[in-house]
Amino acid sequence: QQQVKQSPQSLIVQKGGISIINCAYENTAFDYFPWYQQFPGKGPALLIAIRPDVSEKKEGRFTISFNKSAKQFSLHIMDSQPGDSATYFCAASRRAGSYQLTFGKGTKLSVIP
Amino acid sequence: EAQVTQNPRYLITVTGKKLTVTCSQNMNHEYMSWYRQDPGLGLRQIYYSMNVEVTDKGDVPEGYKVSRKEKRNFPLILESPSPNQTSLYFCASSPQAFPGQGYNEQFFGPGTRLTVL
């Protein structure tokens, strides 16, 4: 059972455009939703995270939008740059649990000049 | 420098030959975990450890063993590797393991690419 569904699998965006990656979850007990960024040959690294008590969180060009009723959250990358080209993973976990992260399958983003 | 290290980074082996992938963190983290990453499947948790001598299965534990004798080390053991264990493996650690202590960022190692022939 896939608890976090991520789409699209791959995404090509022009430099300066907006990249949007979507995730949906099933377990209503999830209460922490991080996004991890992975560059080729590297391990994933935390990019930005949100708790369900807010509907949006912004850090620089990166924004998470969260819709609790729809059980969906998305990552928006504004003014996308070639340096943003990476694989992005959404994830979810429960504060009341063991801090296990359930990851989506990932989105490979390519930003072309 | 605070980091998670894994060794080896690359390994080619043959079916049935026991191997160990080491993982070490220098951040005094309680929680450690192993993931495997496969194309189209994302990151799947193999085993995790809440603290020394406390380990538990993740989503795909079959064919793997772990141990946590020291806080900083969390080796992954493949007793009899098979070709379906060919994958990219990541070790990760987090500061705290128990609820009520906030949300935890997981810090990942650089990965170990394993090929089993």
Side-chain angles (χ1 to χ4, degrees), chain A residues 1-60:
Chain A
Q1 180 189 9
Q2 185 186 354
Q3 295 193 59
V4 180
K5 294 184 179 180
Q6 183 172 347
S7 63
Q9 193 170 4
S10 63
L11 182 61
I12 300 174
V13 173
Q14 292 254 235
K15 178 182 175 181
I18 303 173
S19 304
I20 302 174
I21 304 170
N22 300 300
C23 285
Y25 63 97
E26 299 164 2
N27 189 343
T28 54
F30 287 147
D31 57 5
Y32 173 61
F33 303 91
W35 285 88
Y36 280 76
Q37 180 188 53
Q38 183 183 29
F39 292 108
K42 304 289 186 183
L46 180 66
L47 178 65
I48 186 173
I50 196 168
R51 305 178 190 182
D53 52 346
V54 297
S55 60
E56 185 175 282
K57 183 174 182 180
K58 184 176 181 179
E59 291 184 1

Side-chain angles (χ1 to χ4, degrees), chain B residues 94-105:
Chain B
S94 280
Q96 296 146 332
F98 292 100
Q101 293 178 336
Y103 298 94
N104 281 296
E105 173 181 356

